Amino acid sequence: MTLMAHTGTELITREQLAEILPPESTDTHKPIAHITLVNSLLESLSFRHINVVKDEYAVSSDGMKLFGVIDLETMGDGFRFSLGLRNANDKSMRLGLVVGVRVLVCDNMAFSGDFTPVLAKHSKHFNLNDALAIGMEQMQRNFKPMADQITNWRAAQLTDGQAKEIIYRAFIE
């Protein structure tokens, strides 16, 4: 997991997230408190018997944007799955979750993983628990294909000579 907090954000604890209040709702925009998002996500994971090994969070200086990464206990042979999350209560970006063996969440808006189970606006019809339930189901369904892909990559290793030949051909052709 990689959380990069460097341009106007600071790392904070889960307890500190509870101190950040969302702005008032409007008819079309329903902000989600960062702690509500994190607690709902952790609850959804616990319902599926997936434990958290490590989590890190960063917020923008005004408290409107949240960036986070969560390492999961669920793992394969020599690797562990992670979740990346981001949320903005200032309408600058949608709530998003990514899942992968390696995820990248950065305050410069880089947001990457192997799979994106949730990407949603803070609209008046958005239901966080429903979105997380569907996203977690999709996430679990993709654990095995992601693990199988890693197994296949490990089985298809190249010798140094093969790698050099492929690189040479790429430059020549």
Side-chain angles (χ1 to χ4, degrees):
M1 81 177 180
T2 303
L3 174 65
M4 298 177 72
H6 64 309
T7 54
T9 58
E10 65 178 274
L11 293 173
I12 64 171
T13 65
R14 199 182 312 161
E15 292 76 25
Q16 290 171 306
L17 281 177
E19 300 170 10
I20 301 171
L21 300 175
E24 292 294 321
S25 296
T26 67
D27 290 340
T28 58
H29 182 72
K30 305 296 180 198
I32 299 167
H34 300 319
I35 192 65
T36 301
L37 169 62
V38 170
N39 286 340
S40 295
L41 180 58
L42 296 175
E43 180 181 57
S44 186
L45 289 167
S46 71
F47 286 155
R48 288 160 180 78
H49 305 288
I50 300 173
N51 295 319
V52 172
V53 175
K54 180 181 177 185
D55 56 339
E56 293 180 342
Y57 306 99
V59 294
S60 59
S61 56
D62 62 1
M64 289 291 150
K65 294 181 188 82
L66 167 70
F67 305 92
V69 288
I70 300 172
D71 270 352
L72 305 176
E73 187 176 63
T74 303
M75 56 190 293
D77 182 23
F79 61 90
R80 183 180 306 281
F81 292 107
S82 295
L83 286 174
L85 66 117
R86 69 180 184 187
N87 184 42
N89 286 325
D90 61 0
K91 301 181 186 180
S92 63
M93 64 181 165
R94 299 183 286 178
L95 180 151
L97 290 177
V98 291
V99 180
V101 175
R102 191 79 183 151
V103 298
L104 170 66
V105 180
C106 184
D107 57 11
N108 73 0
M109 304 313 279
F111 191 61
S112 177
D114 295 309
F115 176 66
T116 307
V118 177
L119 201 55
K121 291 183 179 179
H122 297 77
S123 68
K124 64 182 176 181
H125 299 294
F126 177 68
N127 184 304
L128 179 62
N129 290 330
D130 289 349
L132 290 179
I134 293 168
M136 293 300 102
E137 180 182 339
Q138 291 174 344
M139 174 190 75
Q140 279 187 293
R141 289 178 189 261
N142 280 283
F143 280 164
K144 182 167 177 12
M146 286 189 285
D148 290 347
Q149 184 177 27
I150 291 171
T151 301
N152 291 339
W153 287 338
R154 286 178 175 163
Q157 290 188 8
L158 302 174
T159 65
D160 287 347
Q162 291 170 319
K164 287 177 185 177
E165 184 178 335
I166 290 169
I167 293 169
Y168 176 77
R169 271 199 226 141
F171 280 107
I172 297 303
E173 296 173 6

